[in-house]
Amino acid sequence: MSDSDAGNNGSRDESVNISVNVNVNVNVNIAGGNAEGGDPAAATAAGYSGSVLKKWLEAMRLRTLPLSLSAVLLGVVLGCLESPETAVSPWKTGILAFFILLTAVLLQILSNFANDYGDSVSGVDNKERAGRISVLQQGGMTRKELLRGIFAAGILALGSGSIALLLAFMESPAALLGFCLLGALAVAAAVTYTVGIAYSYMGLGDLSVFIFFGLVSVMGAEYMIAHDVSALGIITGCSAGFMAIMVLNVNNLRDYESDIKGGKNSVVVRLGLSGGRVYHWCLCNAAVLLLFAAGVIINSWWALLLLPVMIPFFKVTAFVTSEQNSGVTLDPCLKKTSIAASVINLTLAVTLTLAQLF
């Protein structure tokens, strides 16, 4: 090789190095400029190819909506069957039911936004996580964007909930005040699940899920329509609450290792994997026993409709609690458990309606 060739080659190498350095620096600076004060999610924003609509739909986690909606719908059906207002003013009852369900959807979305934000800040949501990778972790949005989403969902939930409460308790100031406080508590619980006090990191997430996705969803909706809570409402509210905890427990069993590293002391982390599996079976048995009790109260052959829908519920529970299954292998069970619980709630609502009509 001649000296001139060597010189030309050296010039080409130098040009390549300069080009690479410039491109790398520009890309890093652009990512850093979007990082909102060190937001790690923004550093990979260039790698997310989804549209604006897609990223927000992913952050909403629509697959979580059926479980929360099915419990609220069960409460709505109970209230409608018990309230004489349903026959007198079906339109008013229908509008009230719509805003109750809308508020439930908005609260679930608010909770999902806050959960992703809190897990990102704490470091629990990272590349080593066994399950779903949030839009933040993918780089699809920044923490500042998600905070705006949290604020918007909170405002919409408060607005929708206020309309529902005014429709339900216009003539009952005491009940209106009580449910206003309950609604504010629900919003606060959704936000602080992983943000601020982050009570789920203390192992209190299960209790919150039982209260808000079980008791409040079923009994609260029932009371808003019928202005009363029945024994059936209490039993089915507890059953819905136990099944909702089971969905959370699958998540905690799956994320056991990453939760330990992130300092998230869930019930499974406190009990260990073996204890978490036993806990899962206990929740399943408690929910099923309550469903049988509900069938006895219904006192109709239609209650037998509950038996076939329990089969997939037991099947997925057996898979989750097997010692051979852990980590990423449990990820599909999260969706299956949620769907099985939702189907049970909806079947119970249909059973109640058919038993009333026939």
Side-chain angles (χ1 to χ4, degrees), residues 207-230:
L207 178 61
S208 175
V209 165
F210 179 76
I211 292 173
F212 291 103
F213 290 89
L215 302 183
V216 173
S217 292
V218 178
M219 295 163 56
E222 179 187 17
Y223 191 87
M224 287 183 69
I225 294 176
H227 293 189
D228 193 17
V229 175
S230 63

Side-chain angles (χ1 to χ4, degrees), residues 48-52 54-55 58:
Y48 184 84
S49 58
S51 63
V52 173
K54 180 182 177 182
K55 73 179 182 181
E58 285 188 33

